[in-house]
Each structure stands twice: as C-alpha cells, then as structure tokens.
Amino acid sequence: MKLTNVRFTFSKRILYSFAKVIAINNLTRPETMGEPEHVLICVAWPYANGPLHLGHVAGCYLPPDIQLRFERALGNRVLLVSGSDEHGTPITVTAEQQGVSPQEIVDKFHSINKQALLDLGCAWEPNVDPRGIEYGGALFNRTSDPRHKQLVQENFVALLNAGMFEQKTMQQYYELKSEGGGRFLPDRYIEGTCPSCGFEAARGDQCDECGTTYETSELTNPRSKMNPDNDIEIRDTVHFFFRLDLFQKSLELHAEDNWPVWKNNVRSMTKNWLDMGLRPRAVTRDLDWGIELPLEGDEWSGKCVYVWFEAVQGYYTCARIWSTEYADGTHPDGENAWERWWKNPENGSQPRHLYFLGKDNIPFHTVIWPSLIMALNNTDNEISKDDDLRPGPGDLHLEDNVPAMEYLMLAGGQFSKSRKHAVWLPSFLERFDPDTLRYYLSINMPESHDTDFNWPDFVEKINNELIGTYGNFVHRVMTLAERLDEGKQNNPLQAYDDISKQGELIAKINQFHNDITTSLQRHRYKEALRSAMNIAQLGNQMLQEATPWKFLKIPTDADDEWYAGQQQSLGKLAFAWRISRCLSIVTQPFLPFSAQRLWSNLGESGNVSDSPWTDALDWESEMTWDGQSPTPLFTKLDLDEIISQETQLADDSTSHDNNDPTHGVKGGKKKENEKMTDAPEGTTYLKFDTFMEVEMRTGTITNVTDHPNADKLYVVSINDGTDEGRTVCAGLKPYYNIEDLINSSIVFVANLEPRKLRGVMSEGMLLAADDGEGNVRLITVSGEISNGSQVR
Ligand SMILES: [Zn+2]
C-alpha cells in the first residue's frame, strides 16, 4: 500500500508506535494474555554444501527452537520456516571440487542437515502443530522446490513490470576454454594476488590473509581458480539491479520503529548500511545453477536469479507452500492460511516476525529483505524515494526482531594443532545426549559477544551444572520418595503435602519463573536458562536444610517431636516434588528430551510440551506417581575418554582429501576457499639460489599507527639499522594491540619492491606465523642483536 496522504501517513506512524509500546510493555507482563498471537519464526537457510557444525547450531538453529517451544507453551500460533539453500556458487564450487553434480551435493546435505536438526530435537516435524492446523506448524523446505521457483519467478516479473529493477552493463571475468567456448566467472571462481598485502591466493572479493575487501578487477594476476591455465578476459554482461535506493527513507523509519527492541549488533550493522546510502543491487548473474530468468530472449540464457534474491524469499514461499500442502481443506482459510502469519490484518493487529541468523547476515534481514517486501507490497503503485512505504493493513509484514547471534568459536588446535578442526553436528549427536549440547550452547550462547566451544568446559558445565545442580536434584527427590516406607500405589508424599507452608519459596519461584519469561521474550536465552537453574539450586538448598533422608524410616523411640519434625521435613520433600514438575515445564524449551523423561518419571501423562507455560506454577495439581524406580536423567561425562575419541576422529579426518566439503570449516565461521587451489600434485621445490634472493633482516618496531584507509592494517615504523628507518604496512591489527608491538625485535623482508597499500607506501614485509586457526604471532628475535642484521 502506498501512502501519499500526509495525514494518513502520520496516523499510521502513531498506530505503529502504539503497537511497539504494547510489544515492549508485554515484556514486563508474566504471560501474554488474551488473544493468541500469530508468530512467524524464520530461520536462516543453511547452504546444502556441507554438514552443520556447532557454530551454526549456536548461532542459528537452537535459538529459534527454544523460542518456538516457549511461544507454543504460551498458547501462541507459530509457523516455523526455513530449508536448504541449494543454489549459488557455494554449491557449484563444492560440486566441481568433488567432481560430482551440484544436485548430488544438495540432495546429500539436505537430508543430512534436516535429520541432524531433528535429532537435536528441533521441532521441524510434525509439519502441523499437534494442537491443530490453526496453531501453525513447520516446514524445512528446499530452494530447489519447483513451487519456490515458480513464486520467485512470479515476484521477479511483478517487480520488473513495476519498475523496481534497472539494467546495467557490468564487466565480468570470462574464462576461455581450450576446447572453445567459455563461461563467466563469479567472484568465487577468481583468484589472484591481493592488492593490499600481496597474498598470492587471494579470492575474488576478499583476501583471507589480510581481510581487505576489494573489487575483483583490483586483483593483480587474476586467474580462474578451477582452471588456472585457461585464459581469462574481461567481458561486458548485462544484469538487472533491484532499486534498493527507493527504500532508503522507509527503511530508516522502519529501523527507528524497531530501535527499542533490536540488539546492539543489529542496530549498528543496520545503521552502517543505511548511513552508507543504499544503491541498486544485482538480482541476476551469469551462472547456470539457479532459478532461470522468466524472460524470453537469447541475451538472458546462461543467467539466473542471484541466490540472495531468491533464497531470502524462501521465508515467504515456504509459508505459502506449507499452506498449500497442509492447510488446504483443513484450515478455515484453506490455502490462504499463510496470510494469517504474513499479512497485517485490517483490524490493526499484527503478526510477529522473528528472524534467527548469524551476525554476518544482519543487513540482509534488516535492509534488503524488508525492501523487497515493501517492493512486493507496491507492485501496483508508482513509488518514489520520498514515500513512506512501511506496510499498512493488508500488506506483507516486516521483521519485528532479528535476535542475531555473534559467533561460537572452536578452541583452535586443542586436539590437533596441525589442522582445521570443527565439531560436526551429526557426529556429535552420534556420541552424546542432544540435551547436553542444547544445555551447553544455551548457557554459552554467543548473544552479545563471540563465545568459545571447548571440551573441558563442555564436560565441566554438563557435570557440574546440568547434572550437579539440576539432574541430581530431581533424581534425589524421586529416590527419596521411593524409599519412603509406604505403599506405592499412590505418591507417598501426598500425605505430607501442604503448600500453605511454602509461601516464601513459592514467591521466590514465581519470581524466577517471571524472570525466565521476561528473558525469553527478550531473546536472552542464557539468562533464561540460568533462572531455570536457579530454581533447581533453590530446591537443593531447601533439601539440604530439611534433611528428609533422616525421616524416611520411623525410629523405635519416635515421639511427638520427631513426628512434627517429619511432617515438616517431608513437607519440603513433597514441595521438592512439585518443584521438579515445575522444572520439567520450564526446561522443556531448552532441554526437550530430558524434560519429557522427567515428566514421565514423575508419573505425569502425555507430553510436557503440551503443558501451558503457567502450569509450571500450579502448586495444587494432583501428585502423580509412576511406581518405577527412577533412573538418572543424564550420564556423567568423562573428559579423558572424550579427548581420546576426539583425537581419534581428528586423526581419521587428517587423511581425508582436501576436497572434503567439511575441510577448512571451523567454529562458527566458514573459511570457504582455504587450501582450495593446492590440489597437491607433489611439492614444488624452491631453488636454493631463489631462496637466497630473499633478503631478511632484523629490526625494532619504533612506532605503530592505524592505517587511515584499511581496517586490518597497521602502519609500522621500523628501526632497520639505517638512519632513516622504514615503514611497513602489516595486517596485524586483529591480533595485536599497538602497545604490545612497540619495541618488539622482529624479522622483515628487506628487498621486497616498495608498494603503495591503500595510499601508504610499504617498504617490506614483517614475518609472522599463522596456524590457520586464527592465531597469528610475529617472528621475534631472541637475545640481543643489532638492527639490520641479516637473517640466514
Ligand atoms: Zn591481502
């Protein structure tokens, strides 16, 4: 809907501010009351070119599952959408490296990844909410789905006809095949020498060595990565560009609306993009693996829809496909059921849209995708840069919150220093209870800064917190109840249950429950889980003080005083039973498997995930009993055993070929094309004379300043033994503080041809060691030696 009327625009802004105020006020209420909300949970689409690792899980896939389980318990109607991103160069690169078709790659990893997510307990199945179709459901789809393709092509045509695209001629590298013909090379298929640091295997648009980004045309000595011997040349190619610039103002207003609820990282990255000014962005490219352009004419053959443009629409197409597949004939709105989650109704209420993704993806979801949505809302209107295009009633809704995570890193070199090492989700789940991973990643979630996965910490937190605090508490309660010398038809604690005496504890637990609720509404998962653990901790303290184990058997000399003590002590044990039930409900979003085991051990029937959130505070429910001996919820972990298994796995995978898609991936970050070129055909020996041509000398760092035009570079002044000294640009900024470099005795290459790096002349190169796992250390000189000494 286009808004040209000033008064209407104003009133709509008021309406939106009002809606946001309600949303914020809700945060302080213990529960969402009244009408259930329609909540659309969108999860970033994983590339189907490799298995998921723990970094992905912590950043993208666990948080939305916790949120979904919580929202469902509140009674909200949740639709969960995502799937495999199966197009684009990450897939074709992997396929070419392995010598198989892209289709084989995506088929393989779509099923591996979906199964791993299900094994982790993520609620991608069943597709329809167990409470009924009106409550929504979930679909983990694929971008190769023909219905996705059709909807994307329809949108492409609609946007093209509405004047939302412009055509531009670009220059692109083209590879000439020796047998004739050729192909355009996307950035990932180009390699060359970094214009900033001189690294020779720099990729098309960014240098892995110094981190500088540049245009592909700035690379020196560019070549085809896959076929370095083929000639390449620059050719003109025509592409469509989406008019992102038309939405600058609307996006600024939209960001302003959401400022109070967005996280700092989301605000700052969005602001950076908006401050730079939005420019048209290519929506087509020269590639044959993707959705073909819905256009006639030879000039468009060999081009496809750019993967960013189509994959991001997956959030929308997935909801529509879910609707056609499951709601047609069962939902009151039939195949239009998706509109309940996607369109602002005429009555002024709104669905709530939550997007879960890693920090590298933020601008796509706060700038690019909302612009596309606003464009789709306005295909029937003439629009200009001055319009306020924020959606009104009947329009597709924009994102409300984007609780993007920072990265989970993997402790580098812990098991094998010589190689990249990731922890893959499928292999993790073969060996461990999924709830142990869910616990560790939740309590260690990279919400506001990068966090680190390492095995000793994992074992420590599982054994001491998950088991020590929570598992042991509930197990102790059930074991003590079983030992009570009474009949086992009913819960023996019923006779001692008197909640009127537990007012103080109930007040504390109510507060913890309220804290968990508030934290989850604010997407603070770590904090929420800690509050849940606080309830278990409170239970432990209570049992420790009440010493119920002293009152299980009646002594021969029991007197009135003893019986009064027993009544009181076992009253606490009875209350501990009720706390265990409370814990089963509040841990369910985080730890669904163990919560269900506890629920059944307590003799409760059905699924704990069907329990309303407020039932955790029902202190008067019937005390159930299953009559079985309790089994511990978790098994303690043995660090030595894990380390030896990990070492074994690490050794096994060192023998893998470099083309393994899992190679070179670690922590939460992919280093996609590391080692991609050196298909090892034996070592190339360097002639001794050639080596001797390199002149290395010692020096002392006398001064360091930030490079004015490059984020990763320092400008380093070196006393090289000469009066004038020399200046070198070095990519050390991510690894060293300035004060730690000053006065270091270092080694530098003295006879490298001086070059200007982003405007500053660099006369040489510092030597540093890089383990490939994020650790970079300068080569220093031990002991005294004069500056300018030759290194041999
Ligand atoms: Zn570089």
Side-chain angles (χ1 to χ4, degrees), residues 44-314:
W45 291 54
Y47 275 128
N49 70 334
L52 297 174
H53 57 65
L54 300 196
H56 296 126
V57 176
C60 286
Y61 302 106
L62 181 56
D65 190 61
I66 297 170
Q67 193 71 34
L68 169 130
R69 290 169 174 280
F70 168 65
E71 300 285 350
R72 280 188 179 168
L74 289 180
N76 288 330
R77 302 173 174 209
V78 191
L79 183 59
L80 176 69
V81 293
S82 184
S84 295
D85 185 347
E86 303 193 337
H87 295 136
T89 48
I91 311 287
T92 55
V93 167
T94 307
E96 284 195 38
Q97 284 170 338
Q98 294 193 40
V100 298
S101 71
Q103 193 63 47
E104 277 177 72
I105 296 288
V106 298
D107 287 347
K108 178 178 168 190
F109 288 110
H110 172 73
S111 59
I112 287 177
N113 288 340
K114 185 178 175 192
Q115 191 56 50
L117 290 172
L118 291 172
D119 292 344
L120 182 65
C122 296
W124 290 104
E125 284 181 358
N127 297 102
V128 174
D129 190 304
R131 297 169 295 175
I133 188 77
E134 285 179 71
Y135 283 88
L139 180 60
F140 191 80
N141 201 34
R142 318 171 59 163
T143 56
S144 58
D145 185 322
R147 295 165 295 184
H148 168 77
K149 175 176 157 178
Q150 191 191 336
L151 288 165
V152 166
Q153 289 182 330
E154 282 170 19
N155 286 343
F156 187 96
V157 171
L159 294 172
L160 178 66
N161 292 340
M164 306 281 186
F165 295 159
E166 64 185 23
Q167 278 188 36
K168 276 193 204 174
T169 301
M170 308 166 70
Q171 266 99 46
Q172 181 97 30
Y173 280 108
Y174 189 89
E175 175 183 328
L176 298 156
K177 297 201 166 135
S178 48
E179 65 271 24
R183 62 171 176 177
F184 280 103
L185 295 173
D187 289 352
R188 273 173 200 257
Y189 281 80
I190 291 281
E191 189 173 81
T193 304
C194 170
S196 176
C197 73
F199 178 57
E200 288 188 355
R203 51 185 170 128
D205 54 354
Q206 186 174 13
C207 174
D208 283 337
E209 192 70 9
C210 68
T212 308
T213 56
Y214 36 75
E215 294 297 321
T216 309
S217 55
E218 293 178 57
L219 278 180
T220 41
N221 189 23
R223 58 197 173 269
S224 162
K225 189 200 310 260
M226 296 295 174
N227 310 299
D229 295 334
N230 283 355
D231 288 336
I232 62 171
E233 63 185 32
I234 288 185
R235 287 195 182 179
D236 282 353
T237 176
V238 178
H239 284 289
F240 286 106
F241 284 68
F242 173 59
R243 292 285 312 279
L244 210 49
D245 52 310
L246 289 174
F247 302 91
Q248 174 91 29
K249 179 188 162 186
S250 303
L251 283 169
E252 283 168 0
L253 293 170
H254 169 66
E256 211 175 282
D257 291 338
N258 289 285
W259 224 239
V261 292
W262 282 357
K263 290 169 60 171
N264 284 339
N265 57 355
V266 178
R267 289 182 192 180
S268 64
M269 285 180 130
T270 306
K271 185 170 184 307
N272 282 347
W273 269 58
L274 292 175
D275 287 353
M276 281 189 300
L278 299 175
R279 283 177 302 189
R281 190 177 177 94
V283 294
T284 56
R285 71 187 315 193
D286 297 288
L287 192 71
D288 56 8
W289 180 248
I291 295 179
E292 56 267 32
L293 304 189
L295 302 172
E296 303 285 330
D298 282 352
E299 69 269 40
W300 305 120
S301 71
K303 296 182 198 279
C304 70
V305 175
Y306 218 127
V307 69
W308 72 261
F309 177 82
E310 57 116 333
V312 78
Q313 292 184 53

Side-chain angles (χ1 to χ4, degrees), residues 9-17 253 256-257 388 390:
T9 307
F10 181 68
S11 62
K12 197 176 78 157
R13 289 214 61 191
I14 298 286
L15 175 74
Y16 266 76
S17 312
L253 293 170
E256 211 175 282
D257 291 338
D388 176 359
R390 286 173 297 169

Side-chain angles (χ1 to χ4, degrees), residues 439 443 465 469-470 473 505 508-509 511-513 515-516 526-542 579 583 586-587:
Y439 178 81
I443 211 77
E465 297 177 13
T469 302
Y470 167 56
F473 168 69
L505 290 167
K508 284 184 182 165
I509 294 172
Q511 184 57 47
F512 285 135
H513 185 267
D515 292 345
I516 302 170
K526 202 187 291 204
E527 193 178 85
L529 184 53
R530 208 166 281 136
S531 296
M533 289 297 123
N534 284 340
I535 296 177
Q537 188 60 40
L538 185 72
N540 275 322
Q541 281 165 9
M542 181 187 78
I579 295 178
L583 282 168
V586 299
T587 58

Side-chain angles (χ1 to χ4, degrees), residues 338-362:
W338 65 276
E339 295 184 356
R340 298 265 182 129
W341 283 274
W342 260 106
K343 288 193 172 176
N344 290 334
E346 301 292 337
N347 66 11
S349 70
Q350 294 176 18
R352 180 153 49 96
H353 283 195
L354 304 173
Y355 287 81
F356 290 85
L357 38 116
K359 65 178 165 186
D360 50 338
N361 241 331
I362 290 170

